Amino acid sequence: MTRVAYLGPEGTFTHQAAVRWVRAQAAAGAGTTTSLALGGGGADGGTDVELVPALTVTDVYAGVASGHLDHGIVAIENSVEGYVVPSLDAIVGSEDVVAVDEVVLEITFDAFVRPGHGELTEVTAHPHGLAQCQDFVVRSGAVPVPASSNAAACRDATEHQIAIGPAICGELYGLDLLEAGVEDFRGARTRFLTIVRRDRAQVALAAARAGGADAQWRTMLALTPHVTGPGVLARITQAFGAGGVNLSSLITRPLKALEGKYVFVLTVDAAPWEPAVREVLDGLLRAGDSVKTLGVFPARGELDEALSTDHVPVGSVRAGAAADELDRGLLWA
């Protein structure tokens, strides 16, 4: 029995991502570039696969690290609210857990109430859910109440609460639909990672390399400079540019309890074993940096579309803007 954990309860977006990932693995079959030997179980956890709800994201990481769970599905980044910090910090801080695949879901929220509800004084959802539905929360006039997950908010909703969650939660928890599609931004997406123990990832990735020579990969890295000061970030980014390796994402997380000290979390559009990437990483090691691979997963292009100008921060300027616009946007005056 293969056990795949997700942030519960049943009906969370993470649950949906887990179902989608298991189905994709079953369809792909053993021996493909992304298969991790799930076996022939049903898409919803048949005879060979069990989907296991966890109380917290920390429980998912701990279960995978201990070997009690075979795989975990964790949210890592939302296209509206950005990185999911507890999950990001967990994978950065884990010695034994690494990501080997990803799932991208389009996210939409519905608002539900209990049948025969009373006066609606509160609106409840996961903090990210509340943040993505701010217009509705304000319009409702109810007090926002954070929950451990959107599905938990729906499951535990009282007669005085509006619960925000995935559409499936209405049927799962016997709720009435108050309003559909209450998210602020249409087309929002969340990226989920599939995590496994590092030793298992080494075996699976070695098999994937042997069976998929033309596969395109992304690599997620944690890089910690031991000597900081002027130019440290430029040195790191220039190393990738000079090596011809595309660096598609860079964020910082503080080293706990150390003011002004950071670990850089990088995503590169290549595998860590490719010669160009290996040369860059060798150079960073020689420079005295600490480096760890957090994840290696197939690049499927879900998030590679060109940026629409509608999503550029309001007030940004580009080349060719009028002088007064440049002065205002860049504070050059």
Side-chain angles (χ1 to χ4, degrees):
M1 176 71 72
T2 297
R3 308 185 78 216
V4 181
Y6 64 91
L7 175 63
E10 187 180 10
T12 61
F13 289 117
T14 313
H15 178 214
Q16 295 178 49
V19 170
R20 179 175 294 187
W21 184 76
V22 168
R23 285 176 175 167
Q25 293 297 297
T32 67
T33 57
T34 60
S35 176
L36 291 171
L38 276 174
D44 293 291
T47 57
D48 295 315
V49 180
E50 179 187 4
L51 294 180
V52 182
L55 290 177
T56 68
V57 171
T58 301
D59 291 336
V60 176
Y61 277 93
V64 171
S66 69
H68 178 64
L69 300 168
D70 298 290
H71 309 280
I73 307 295
V74 294
I76 194 67
E77 185 181 17
N78 177 264
S79 61
V80 174
E81 287 302 301
Y83 276 89
V84 181
V85 171
S87 189
L88 181 64
D89 284 350
I91 199 167
V92 169
S94 176
E95 181 178 359
D96 296 319
V97 173
V98 65
V100 292
D101 208 353
E102 63 179 357
V103 179
V104 178
L105 286 184
E106 289 197 8
I107 302 298
T108 184
F109 293 90
D110 289 350
F112 300 100
V113 292
R114 287 286 173 199
H117 63 82
E119 181 184 1
L120 298 171
T121 58
E122 296 179 339
V123 56
T124 180
H126 185 275
H128 271 234
L130 291 171
Q132 292 179 66
C133 303
Q134 274 296 295
D135 289 347
F136 172 81
V137 171
V138 172
R139 181 160 46 86
S140 73
V143 176
V145 176
S148 60
S149 72
N150 298 303
C154 294
R155 179 197 63 192
D156 301 333
T158 71
E159 63 178 11
H160 298 293
Q161 289 182 323
I162 304 168
I164 298 175
I168 192 175
C169 287
E171 181 179 352
L172 281 175
Y173 300 116
L175 303 175
D176 289 342
L177 179 66
L178 179 66
E179 186 174 334
V182 297
E183 64 274 7
D184 296 339
F185 298 94
R186 298 292 186 266
R189 291 180 288 184
T190 294
R191 188 162 59 96
F192 300 83
L193 295 179
T194 301
I195 57 173
V196 299
R197 280 184 57 88
R198 188 170 289 267
D199 51 3
R200 183 171 186 179
Q202 287 182 286
V203 174
L205 290 170
R209 291 177 62 187
D214 296 329
Q216 299 296 311
W217 299 88
R218 279 198 173 110
T219 302
M220 192 173 176
L221 302 165
L223 191 149
T224 310
H226 287 253
V227 178
T228 59
V232 62
L233 184 55
R235 171 179 63 79
I236 293 168
T237 56
Q238 287 171 4
F240 287 94
V245 178
N246 187 52
L247 186 62
S248 57
S249 175
L250 185 155
I251 63 170
T252 61
R253 291 298 298 149
L255 292 173
K256 303 307 181 186
L258 293 177
E259 183 178 1
K261 304 294 184 183
Y262 300 93
V263 55
F264 298 109
V265 180
L266 315 173
T267 302
V268 300
D269 295 333
W273 54 78
E274 294 180 28
V277 181
R278 187 160 185 164
E279 184 174 348
V280 172
L281 298 183
D282 281 340
L284 294 171
L285 293 171
R286 290 194 300 271
D289 301 324
S290 291
V291 187
K292 178 173 70 167
T293 295
L294 304 177
V296 185
F297 33 85
R300 301 188 179 92
E302 294 99 331
L303 302 178
D304 289 340
E305 297 91 345
L307 178 66
S308 167
T309 55
D310 293 339
H311 292 85
V312 173
V314 176
S316 299
V317 293
R318 301 184 70 186
D324 60 339
E325 292 177 333
L326 292 171
D327 286 345
R328 186 174 187 276
L330 303 178
L331 297 180
W332 277 356

